Amino acid sequence: MGMSVTISAAAEDDAEHILKLQYLCYQTEAELYGDYGIEPLTQTLADLSDEISQGHALVARLGDEVVASVRGRVDASGTARIAKLIVHPRMQRHGLGGRLLDAIEARFAGDPHIKRFQLFTGHRSESNLRLYRSRGYVPVSSEQVGPRLTLVILEKEPVPRAYAASA
């Protein structure tokens, strides 16, 4: 019988595992854009630890192994900024990215100050764009950050939680 993947809040001692996974996962993005100096590949362990402590970070585990992660934080404007959704290459295309995206959104769901969810990806990252669109995100702007890379910024409004009374 196989193990199931569990999603939980990242612990402080998960930072090193997340950083290694991030480095592995962003290799394809770096290759796609011809830029190995992108921030996820140059982020330090100290910076990652700070990032985790300042917002929400989730990990997905298969047994004891961290196989996926996502981070998010809320800014002063009420935007929940979701970032660095990563899934180990061997675990991709099994719905884990969508589960993590749903889980990080759920972490923010109880905050009445949240006005929107926002994330971004590169313009050539078709599988990322497909996932985000399937979860209700729509492109709202783009930003050219280099000669080969344009970031596509996508947003969606939070779905209000309504509870129906039973008769």
Side-chain angles (χ1 to χ4, degrees), residues 10-167:
E12 193 174 312
D13 61 347
D14 287 327
E16 188 173 347
H17 300 285
I18 294 169
L19 188 62
K20 288 177 182 177
L21 180 62
Q22 177 176 299
Y23 189 82
L24 172 67
C25 292
Y26 274 93
Q27 293 298 313
T28 54
E29 291 293 301
E31 183 178 341
L32 183 61
Y33 296 102
D35 183 358
Y36 287 86
I38 58 177
E39 189 268 344
L41 296 181
T42 60
Q43 187 173 32
T44 67
L45 183 57
D47 289 342
L48 174 66
S49 295
D50 286 346
E51 192 177 320
I52 290 171
S53 71
Q54 294 174 14
H56 292 288
L58 301 177
V59 292
R61 297 179 201 282
L62 182 61
D64 292 333
E65 180 186 6
V66 174
V67 294
S69 181
V70 65
R71 300 190 286 275
R73 62 177 175 78
V74 180
D75 69 15
S77 73
T79 301
R81 299 187 185 276
I82 298 170
K84 297 186 178 94
L85 174 61
I86 54 175
V87 178
H88 193 288
R90 78 171 190 276
M91 301 293 292
Q92 292 176 3
R93 307 216 190 306
H94 297 288
L96 188 51
R99 284 180 56 200
L100 267 175
L101 191 53
D102 293 345
I104 195 77
E105 288 175 7
R107 289 281 166 146
F108 294 117
D111 187 336
H113 301 101
I114 301 291
K115 294 183 174 102
R116 73 193 62 77
F117 295 113
Q118 185 181 82
L119 44 73
F120 63 85
T121 192
H123 69 287
R124 293 185 196 154
S125 302
E126 287 300 324
S127 61
N128 295 349
L129 289 165
R130 194 169 30 257
L131 169 64
Y132 301 149
R133 287 183 181 127
S134 77
R135 291 298 201 264
Y137 286 83
V138 294
V140 293
S141 64
S142 62
E143 177 185 344
Q144 186 153 2
V145 294
R148 296 185 207 122
L149 173 60
T150 299
L151 294 180
V152 179
I153 294 92
L154 301 101
E155 290 183 357
K156 81 174 191 180
E157 291 183 20
V159 177
R161 301 252 180 203
Y163 295 96
S166 56

